[in-house]
Each structure stands twice: as C-alpha cells, then as structure tokens.
Amino acid sequence: MEAFLPKKDGYVVAVIGATGAVGQTMLEILAERNFPIAELIPVASSRSAGSVVGFNGKDYIVQDLETFDPSGVDIALFSAGGDTSTTHAPRFAAAGCYVIDNSSAWRMDDDIALVVPEVNASALEMARTNRIIANPNCSTIQMVVALKPLHDVMPIKRIVVSTYQAVSGAGGKAIEELAKQTTALLNGETPEIDVFPARIAFNVIPQIDIFLESGYTKEEQKMIDETRKIMGSDIAVTATTVRVPVFYSHSEAVNVTFSGQMNADQARKLLAGADGICVVDDPASEDYPLASEAAGTDFVWVGRIRDDYSFPNSLHLWVVADNVRKGAALNAVQIAEILIY
Ligand code: A2P
C-alpha cells in the first residue's frame, strides 16, 4: 500500500474530544505505541478549553474546537460525538488533514471507508480523496476481528449476536453514573438516573441508544449494517445489544452459521494464529475470556468455542475486548499508523 502521508520524523496530531473517556485513552495509546508526534493538540468544547491534559509526561492546553484552525494538522482523531463530527470533520479534511472519526456520523456513507485494520485495511484506499475514515462501533469491531479469520476459510452465512456492553461505551458520565448508583444503593439511598434509560447498577438494560421503528435499537442496527459493510452484504446478521453494570470491556455471545464445513477444533486453530486475537478456551480448568481480564489489554479474547449441535456448520463463540481500547481508541491509532508507515 502506498503511504498516505509523506515520511516525516513526526506528525501534527489533533485529538478532538481529548478530555473524554475515549480521547484520554487515545492519548495514552499514542504514547504507549511511540506514535511519531511533532506536535500534539488536544481539542474539546468551550467547556474545557484552556484546561490542561497530560501526554507523555507533559501538560498541553486544550483548544476550543469552534475556533480551532486545522491548517497544518496531519491527522485528527475525533471522538466528540456524531454532531461534532458531522459539523467539523469536513472542515478538517478540507484543510488537508486525515480525519479518523470514532462517531457514527460517517460510517454508513458509501464513500467513506469503515476500517478495522486486521479485517479490511484495503478499504482505506477510499480515503485518499475524501480524507475521512470511520472507526466502527465498538461492538462491531471486536466481533469482526474474531470472525474474519474463520470467514476467510469458510464464508459465513449468518451471525446471531447478543452483547453484554460496559458502561464506558457511553462515555465518562456513564462511568460515573454506575459508580454513583452503586454507592447510593449500597448506602440505602435512591440512585439518580441520568445517562441510561433505567438504573444500571445491579441491573441489565436491553436498550442501547434509541429505538427505531423496526423495534430494533440503533446500536443493534449499527452492528448489523456495519458488519455487512466490513465483511460482506451477503451475510445475514441479527443482534440484541444489552448494557450491563461493567465498567470496561464488552462481552458478546456470537452464534455463527457457515456456508460449509467448519467445526470448533478448526475454528480454535484458526483463531489461535490470527492477528490481534488471544484464545482462552479451556473448560477443564474453567478458563474463558472475562471482561475484568480483557480490560486494559489490546487483544480480542475468544473462548467458549463450541459446535452448535442444533444446526449444521454452526458455532458458538464468546468474544470479549476492551471497548475503549480495541473498540475505539486503539483501532483509531492503528488506522493512523497505516497512514504514516
Ligand atoms: P468537553 O470536556 O469540553 O465536554 P465522553 O465520551 O467521555 O463523554 O467525552 C466526550 C468528549 O467530547 C469530551 O472531550 C468533550 O469535551 C467532547 N465534546 C463534546 N461535545 C463537544 C463539542 N460540541 N465540541 C467539541 N468537543 C466536544
């Protein structure tokens, strides 16, 4: 693949939403992976403009997105919500900057690349002209990373997924809400409900995002549409997305039907050698992926791999990943790495 950006010792990188849950993790991951940075510019709303964020041991002053001039920025990592991306990403792209957008604003646009590096890096070619690249939904990313190595060997016909999603997927305020509600309930107080449609502490909510006329939630429809855009529109996909009282890492029960022969042993071997995946699957020692162990890691963890005896050529998988890292910030930084190397 021909380089997207000219070779330089360091690049000008802006992080839009730098004070948020994903933006903060983007900064951490850029530092951890020694991304070559000549200038780092944290950007957020006027609410936090002028405040300070840390990066690589130094303090940086947060800029106000409304008045920020993107000229000279090489790469902008956006994670400040869909409306912000709709308004500002085109302005950054027009100034010559590559935008990697974590919101859902551009994902289903036919001209925009929707990229998971382990799965469809070649889709990035589309970005050479329009310079906006979409990061898929967190639940979609971990599922397609786990399924692509199997799909490459035996095409998938149908996916049925149920998710168990961490509160961090809904941002910093949602993390606080779970902590505060838990504390309130343990102290015998009435918890306040603000971010989620119902109490999340000691509860399970079968609604993520708004309901559509179809009866599906928007999160479910995102998983369906994005999986088909990334892996192929001939795959039937259905989803039930559920919020659980976990801080970090989404878990997913995935049932897959293949177009021909595929069994659990084959799948285990294929996944064990695949990029970005760690297989933990030993029922004898009660070993399987756990949200608590996936949190803070970069892998997509796969376990409970077993044949579905109720239907031919079908498997069950349990797929877990840190939704803020691989599901958002890490995936965006991996895309940025492809742009520069
Ligand atoms: P701010 O701190 O100024 O509100 P989270 O996903 O954790 O809720 O974080 C959202 C991030 O997006 C924050 O950094 C927030 O900045 C930023 N953000 C939200 N709305 C805007 C906006 N209109 N313009 C710029 N940044 C925004």
Side-chain angles (χ1 to χ4, degrees):
M1 199 184 275
E2 195 191 319
F4 286 78
L5 282 160
K7 281 265 163 286
K8 296 189 211 174
D9 290 341
Y11 296 83
V12 180
V13 176
V15 175
I16 320 304
T19 53
V22 172
Q24 286 285 300
T25 308
M26 284 171 165
L27 296 176
E28 268 169 48
I29 292 177
L30 287 167
E32 272 170 33
R33 294 171 76 95
N34 288 320
F35 193 91
I37 288 185
E39 189 185 349
L40 179 94
I41 312 169
V43 183
S45 79
S46 55
R47 288 181 295 273
S48 50
S51 67
V52 159
V53 298
F55 173 72
N56 248 345
K58 283 212 251 161
D59 285 345
Y60 291 79
I61 294 177
V62 176
Q63 310 289 312
D64 182 352
L65 179 61
E66 282 304 323
T67 52
F68 179 71
D69 174 6
S71 318
V73 175
D74 293 306
I75 297 172
L77 304 176
F78 269 67
S79 191
D83 292 346
T84 308
S85 295
T86 305
T87 311
H88 293 278
R91 181 165 81 83
F92 277 62
C97 155
Y98 277 100
V99 171
I100 304 171
D101 181 34
N102 193 51
S103 82
S104 59
W106 302 95
R107 289 179 190 153
M108 293 313 296
D109 191 310
D110 283 346
D111 300 327
I112 300 288
L114 181 64
V115 178
V116 180
E118 294 88 341
V119 178
N120 67 335
S122 60
L124 271 176
E125 285 301 326
M126 270 174 162
R128 286 191 196 276
T129 44
N130 56 41
R131 290 181 180 250
I132 299 178
I133 301 149
N135 219 27
N137 173 277
C138 41
S139 309
T140 307
I141 292 179
Q142 67 185 71
M143 185 172 81
V144 299
V145 168
L147 294 181
K148 183 63 168 35
L150 309 179
H151 182 63
D152 282 345
V153 171
M154 182 54 71
I156 290 172
K157 253 170 68 176
R158 182 170 188 239
I159 302 166
V160 181
V161 56
S162 301
T163 68
Y164 304 71
Q165 296 185 218
V167 295
S168 50
K173 286 202 181 114
I175 297 172
E176 268 176 44
E177 182 151 310
L178 173 58
K180 280 192 186 154
Q181 288 183 354
T182 306
T183 312
L185 285 164
L186 289 174
N187 285 305
E189 294 159 9
T190 308
E192 274 178 37
I193 298 170
D194 177 22
V195 177
F196 295 112
R199 195 189 82 210
I200 184 61
F202 306 105
N203 210 358
V204 168
I205 306 175
Q207 178 192 349
I208 300 183
D209 211 329
I210 55 168
F211 276 98
L212 306 174
E213 269 181 24
S214 60
Y216 283 67
T217 62
K218 205 167 164 192
E219 182 82 352
E220 288 158 353
Q221 198 59 48
K222 281 180 195 169
M223 278 198 88
I224 294 166
D225 296 340
E226 294 176 23
T227 302
R228 288 156 54 91
K229 177 164 174 177
I230 295 165
M231 286 185 52
S233 56
D234 45 351
I235 303 177
V237 184
T238 190
T240 303
T241 57
V242 179
R243 189 75 70 186
V244 293
V246 164
F247 284 108
Y248 293 99
S249 291
H250 292 348
S251 304
E252 298 177 344
V254 187
N255 182 268
V256 206
T257 298
F258 295 85
S259 54
Q261 213 277 321
M262 171 65 71
N263 63 39
D265 287 339
Q266 266 176 289
R268 213 172 280 114
K269 283 192 194 110
L270 289 167
L271 293 174
D275 248 14
I277 292 181
C278 191
V279 174
V280 182
D281 193 20
D282 185 8
S285 51
E286 299 180 357
D287 229 357
Y288 32 73
L290 288 171
S292 56
E293 287 168 9
T297 75
D298 290 346
F299 287 111
V300 172
W301 301 78
V302 188
R304 303 294 323 278
I305 303 167
R306 62 204 194 279
D307 295 306
D308 174 356
Y309 297 115
S310 76
F311 207 73
N313 302 318
S314 299
L315 294 180
H316 291 290
L317 311 170
W318 179 249
V319 179
V320 185
D322 186 320
N323 54 300
V324 177
R325 292 180 73 91
K326 183 55 191 166
L330 172 64
N331 199 71
V333 174
Q334 286 174 313
I335 293 171
E337 287 170 348
I338 301 176
L339 298 180
I340 62 163
Y341 294 127

